[in-house]
């Protein structure tokens, strides 16, 4: 089978599209014929070597944390799935950027039935991150004001919608190329951060900030006065460290895998209450190009990778 692998850490040019042996499932695993993987900034961070301390991997290594596909073989201990089931999941140790991948059955859920199977690969990492930022940390409620900084990215697709579902007023920052999409996801106000400073565009303070953007420490500090006393800043990117006098709570976290939450997200999608926004699809052989575009800031929304 074909796979996109790295044999060393470095820039996007080290990604090899090459022939490898098809894996065999262990007793608690399934073999998946991959419909799609997706690109996440964490893929580029791992490839560059920035995650070695928290996610050491054996080289050569097949990239890709998100997967959707069809089960073609099950291990002897697997009873939750059968051959032919369409599944989606987050692979904590990667491997999705290939024609086939093995995964522990306990890390997968049934894929949505109302969207193309390949589009489902856009869900796990981004949607779980948005879900946990909002429902485990920010806890917005109806009538509150939530600012989502970096709403045009892959996590922002889900964060805007999930925040809107709570009844909150959603204010989103997005560049001009992402504004139309962010508006369709339900943002009440869109601020083009390339044209207008946030402090000038906001009509009063907000109850919560969800920061999804890798910003400078100076820009992170500028988020603090935007939040009312007693409010919260949740960041998945640059940490924010408000002074005690601001009376603002700050949380910086890394999302975790949670199949119960993922199953809830899939249910919302099949109910039509949550949209999956795939903005681009590329063949697996072009993964290095996708990494280059992502690192250059030339992408928005979610990008799927098709074997």
């Amino acid at each position: 089978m074909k796979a996109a692998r790295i044999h060393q850490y470095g820039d996007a040019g080290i990604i090899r599209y090459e022939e490898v042996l098809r894996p065999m499932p262990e007793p608690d695993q399934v073999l998946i014929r991959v419909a799609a993987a997706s690109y996440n900034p964490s893929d580029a961070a791992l490839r560059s070597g920035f995650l070695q301390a928290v996610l050491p991997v054996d080289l050569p290594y097949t990239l890709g944390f998100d997967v959707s596909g069809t089960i073609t073989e099950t291990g002897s201990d697997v009873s939750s799935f059968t051959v032919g089931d369409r599944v989606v999941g987050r692979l904590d140790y990667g491997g999705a950027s290939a024609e086939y991948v093995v995964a522990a059955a306990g890390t997968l859920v049934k894929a949505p039935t109302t969207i193309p199977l390949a589009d489902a690969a856009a869900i796990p990492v981004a949607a779980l991150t948005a879900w946990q930022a909002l429902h485990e940390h920010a806890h917005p409620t109806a009538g509150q004001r939530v600012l989502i900084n970096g709403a045009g990215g892959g996590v922002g697709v889900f964060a805007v919608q999930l925040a809107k579902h709570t009844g909150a007023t959603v204010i989103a920052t997005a560049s001009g190329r992402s504004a139309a999409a962010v508006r369709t996801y339900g943002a009440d106000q869109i601020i083009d951060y390339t044209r207008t400073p946030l402090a000038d565009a906001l009509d009063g303070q907000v109850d919560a900030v969800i920061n999804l953007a890798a910003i400078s420490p100076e820009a992170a500090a500028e988020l603090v006065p935007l939040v009312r006393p007693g409010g919260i800043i949740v960041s998945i990117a640059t940490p924010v460290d408000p002074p005690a006098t601001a009376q603002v709570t700050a949380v910086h976290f890394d999302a975790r895998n949670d199949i119960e939450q993922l199953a809830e997200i899939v249910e919302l999608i099949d109910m039509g209450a949550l949209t999956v926004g795939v903005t681009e699809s590329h063949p697996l052989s072009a993964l290095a190009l996708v990494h280059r575009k992502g690192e250059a800031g030339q992408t928005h929304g979610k990008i799927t990778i098709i074997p």
Side-chain angles (χ1 to χ4, degrees):
M1 71 172 192
K2 292 291 189 181
R5 303 200 299 175
I6 59 172
H7 292 250
Q8 64 190 70
Y9 296 114
D11 63 22
I14 66 169
I15 298 174
R16 298 187 192 177
Y17 178 65
E18 58 191 3
E19 193 77 24
V20 301
L21 291 176
R22 182 183 299 182
M24 299 289 292
E26 298 291 334
D28 65 340
Q29 294 179 327
V30 298
L31 179 66
I32 302 168
R33 184 175 71 245
V34 177
S38 83
Y39 171 78
N40 294 290
S42 54
D43 295 309
L46 186 148
R47 185 214 72 226
S48 300
F50 295 145
L51 300 184
Q52 290 183 66
V54 295
L55 186 60
V57 299
D58 295 327
L59 300 175
Y61 172 80
T62 302
L63 296 161
F65 297 112
D66 285 326
V67 69
S68 65
T70 303
I71 292 176
T72 60
E73 186 178 345
T74 62
S76 58
D77 294 342
V78 174
S79 59
S80 52
F81 297 106
T82 60
V83 171
D85 283 346
R86 292 151 56 98
V87 294
V88 61
R90 167 178 153 170
L91 308 182
D92 288 333
Y93 298 98
S97 296
E99 292 180 318
Y100 289 84
V101 65
V102 292
T107 63
L108 303 169
V109 301
K110 293 287 185 67
T113 59
T114 56
I115 63 173
L117 182 58
D119 286 1
I123 299 168
V125 169
L128 285 170
T129 302
W131 182 281
Q132 291 164 23
L134 285 155
H135 295 311
E136 294 187 350
H137 298 292
H139 302 291
T141 58
Q144 289 191 330
R145 284 158 47 89
V146 178
L147 170 63
I148 298 177
N149 191 40
V155 179
V157 168
F158 297 103
V160 168
Q161 296 179 79
L162 291 172
K164 189 66 178 175
H165 290 163
T166 68
T169 296
V170 179
I171 304 159
T173 72
S175 64
R177 71 180 178 197
S178 303
V182 171
R183 185 172 287 107
T184 66
Y185 300 136
D188 296 286
Q189 178 185 353
I190 299 174
I191 300 170
D192 186 344
Y193 62 88
T194 66
R195 296 176 177 269
T196 308
L198 275 173
D200 295 343
L202 280 177
D203 180 19
Q205 292 177 307
V206 299
D207 297 283
V209 170
I210 309 296
N211 178 53
L212 309 176
I215 53 180
S216 68
E218 293 76 18
E222 291 173 359
L223 295 175
V224 176
L226 306 180
V227 183
R228 65 164 178 81
I232 186 169
I233 300 173
V234 180
S235 182
I236 68 164
T238 308
V240 182
D241 186 19
T245 54
Q247 301 178 42
V248 171
T249 300
V251 175
H252 180 259
F253 82 102
D254 294 319
R256 71 183 188 284
N257 209 347
D258 189 310
I259 61 167
E260 292 183 359
Q261 292 178 355
L262 185 57
E264 288 189 65
I265 290 164
V266 167
E267 184 177 356
L268 286 173
I269 291 167
D270 279 340
M271 290 169 55
L274 195 61
T275 299
V276 179
V278 175
T279 54
E280 298 180 44
S281 293
H282 294 273
L284 181 59
S285 57
L287 185 59
L289 171 65
V290 174
H291 276 233
R292 290 189 184 98
K293 290 180 64 176
E295 291 177 295
Q298 297 173 348
T299 61
H300 68 280
K302 284 298 297 181
I303 299 173
T304 53
I305 309 299
I306 311 297

